[in-house]
């Protein structure tokens, strides 16, 4: 039983340990790594990925996948930028609304038309990307600086970036939903065994409907932050965001097969990946190595592969330990 508990703890807290070790490494090696500017910059930028990863976490826990989150964020940024002259709240609502529309279509395709999540969200990824390019006329869309819209992504509240506050609130709500509501328990049940969930009378389709809808809304919110932070709607900026989200979720210990997951560990996974590339940027600055964005993508892919392999090993050893016990 001790061995099983040790394996379980490694699966649950390994990402937190890795995050702490990486932060200690950066603090010891680089000047100003834990400076206020660097910390707030990392948190401000990675808040977008945190929101996308949160939605992806719930989708994967049900045994599904959402490949459209990157394109949805891009669409949300364009729609928010177009609506920004009407005010910050209007731009915010428009961007989130665009994301909810994509999430709604995904939910209908998966739960009503019974299309495989991979195929359904792949189709919506292409559709959302095309829609963003059409609305933006294949170029960046400038936001209104007079309406106060940029304050969402660029200002601070109590000395802390507003995007980081938004991400924190979203994760607190997600943690409460997962751990203290029947919907959260239903998410894990659907991912563990959907047929058994239906036999128990739980609304499996409604649960999946809600998680795809939420994933779209969170991606749209990430798009709002993108537009307000950089001053323009970016129709092609979301390329690869779905891969970052999947990587963060898997690094956090959520099984791709569903039924097991953690909101807190997903946030730790986002921070781990974000700080990893922050470390690489610092290393570039020291002149010892010179890694382009392309090499950073290679490292991200290899890192994800290693984590998936370790996760599979831990899961198999955990099963063996249970049988031995």
């Amino acid at each position: 039983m001790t061995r099983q508990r040790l394996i379980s703890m490694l699966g649950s807290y390994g990402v937190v340990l890795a995050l702490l070790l990486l932060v200690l490494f950066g603090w010891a090696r680089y000047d100003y790594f834990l400076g206020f500017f660097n910390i707030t910059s990392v948190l401000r930028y990675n808040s977008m990925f945190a929101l996308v990863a949160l939605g992806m976490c719930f989708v994967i826990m049900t045994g599904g996948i959402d490949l459209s989150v990157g394109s949805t964020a891009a669409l949300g940024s364009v729609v928010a930028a177009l609506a920004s002259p009407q005010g910050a709240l209007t731009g915010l609502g428009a961007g989130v609304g665009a994301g909810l529309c994509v999430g709604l279509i995904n939910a209908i395709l998966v739960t009503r038309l019974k299309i495989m999540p991979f195929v359904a969200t792949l189709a919506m990824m292409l559709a959302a990307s095309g829609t963003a390019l059409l609305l933006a006329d294949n170029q960046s869309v400038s936001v209104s600086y007079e309406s106060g819209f940029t304050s969402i992504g660029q200002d601070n509240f109590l000395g802390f970036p507003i995007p980081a506050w938004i991400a924190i609130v979203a994760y607190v709500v997600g943690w409460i939903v997962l751990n203290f509501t029947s919907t959260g328990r239903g998410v894990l049940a659907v991912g563990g065994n959907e047929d058994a969930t239906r036999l128990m009378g739980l609304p499996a389709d409604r649960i999946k409907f809600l998680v795809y809808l939420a994933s779209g809304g969170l991606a749209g919110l990430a798009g709002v932050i993108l537009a307000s932070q950089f001053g323009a709607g970016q129709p092609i900026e979301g390329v690869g965001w779905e891969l970052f989200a999947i990587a963060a979720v898997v690094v956090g210990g959520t099984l791709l097969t569903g039924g097991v997951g953690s909101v807190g560990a997903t946030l730790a996974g986002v921070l781990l990946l974000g700080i990893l590339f922050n470390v690489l940027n610092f290393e570039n600055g020291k002149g010892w190595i010179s890694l382009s964005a392309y090499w950073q993508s290679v490292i991200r892919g290899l890192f994800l592969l290693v984590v998936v392999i370790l996760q599979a090993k831990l899961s198999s050893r955990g099963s063996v330990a249970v049988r031995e016990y």
Side-chain angles (χ1 to χ4, degrees):
M1 189 65 176
T2 302
R3 180 183 175 187
Q4 180 189 357
R5 285 180 176 175
L6 178 60
I7 292 173
S8 177
M9 288 180 64
L10 284 174
S12 301
Y13 302 107
V15 62
V16 177
L17 177 62
L19 177 61
L20 291 175
L21 291 175
L22 186 61
V23 170
L24 288 175
F25 171 81
W27 170 73
R29 181 165 174 78
Y30 311 115
D31 295 332
Y32 309 113
F33 181 78
L34 291 182
F36 178 78
F37 178 78
N38 188 56
I39 291 174
T40 55
S41 296
V42 169
L43 293 177
R44 189 185 304 276
Y45 181 68
N46 285 282
S47 62
M48 298 179 291
F49 302 118
L51 291 171
V52 172
L54 177 60
M56 185 71 76
C57 176
F58 275 87
V59 170
I60 290 179
M61 282 191 290
T62 64
I65 197 75
D66 188 354
L67 299 178
S68 67
V69 291
S71 296
T72 302
L75 176 61
S77 75
V78 171
V79 173
L82 291 172
S84 63
Q86 307 303 318
L89 291 179
T90 302
L92 174 62
V96 174
L100 288 172
C101 287
V102 176
L104 176 63
I105 297 173
N106 280 332
I108 292 173
L109 292 175
V110 172
T111 63
R112 299 293 188 266
L113 300 182
K114 305 299 181 183
I115 298 176
M116 293 293 294
F118 182 91
V119 177
T121 59
L122 176 61
M124 286 308 301
M125 177 183 76
L126 298 174
S129 177
T131 303
L133 289 168
L134 286 171
L135 291 175
D137 197 20
N138 200 23
Q139 59 186 350
S140 297
V141 180
S142 297
V143 304
S144 171
Y145 286 85
E146 291 77 18
S147 65
F149 176 75
T150 55
S151 63
I152 298 174
Q154 298 178 9
D155 286 0
N156 295 334
F157 177 69
L158 298 178
F160 207 60
I162 290 177
W165 281 114
I166 294 173
I168 289 172
V169 171
Y171 270 80
V172 169
V173 172
W175 179 75
I176 292 173
V177 169
L178 181 63
N179 293 284
F180 299 102
T181 69
S182 58
T183 300
R185 291 188 291 271
V187 166
L188 296 175
V190 169
N193 191 323
E194 184 172 341
D195 292 335
T197 301
R198 295 182 187 278
L199 290 174
M200 288 188 294
L202 296 178
D205 284 340
R206 188 182 72 181
I207 291 170
K208 292 196 294 183
F209 189 98
L210 290 175
V211 298
Y212 281 99
L213 185 65
S215 180
L218 288 167
L221 180 56
V224 173
I225 294 175
L226 171 65
S228 60
Q229 191 171 135
F230 294 97
Q234 308 284 345
I236 61 172
E237 179 63 28
V239 175
W241 282 26
E242 64 280 351
L243 301 180
F244 185 99
I246 294 171
V249 171
V250 173
V251 166
T254 299
L255 297 181
L256 286 172
T257 53
V260 176
S262 167
V263 168
T266 295
L267 179 58
V270 172
L271 293 175
L272 177 63
L273 292 176
I275 293 175
L276 173 64
F277 291 104
N278 185 238
V279 165
L280 292 176
N281 289 331
F282 268 95
E283 200 64 38
N284 280 340
K286 292 181 74 71
W288 289 93
I289 60 174
S290 180
L291 293 176
S292 67
Y294 306 114
W295 274 110
Q296 291 186 16
S297 295
V298 172
I299 293 173
R300 181 183 299 175
L302 292 175
F303 184 76
L304 176 59
L305 179 61
V306 170
V307 169
V308 170
I309 293 174
L310 290 175
Q311 187 184 83
K313 292 290 185 182
L314 287 173
S315 297
S316 62
R317 288 179 181 178
S319 299
V320 171
V322 171
R323 289 197 296 270
E324 289 177 350
Y325 177 74

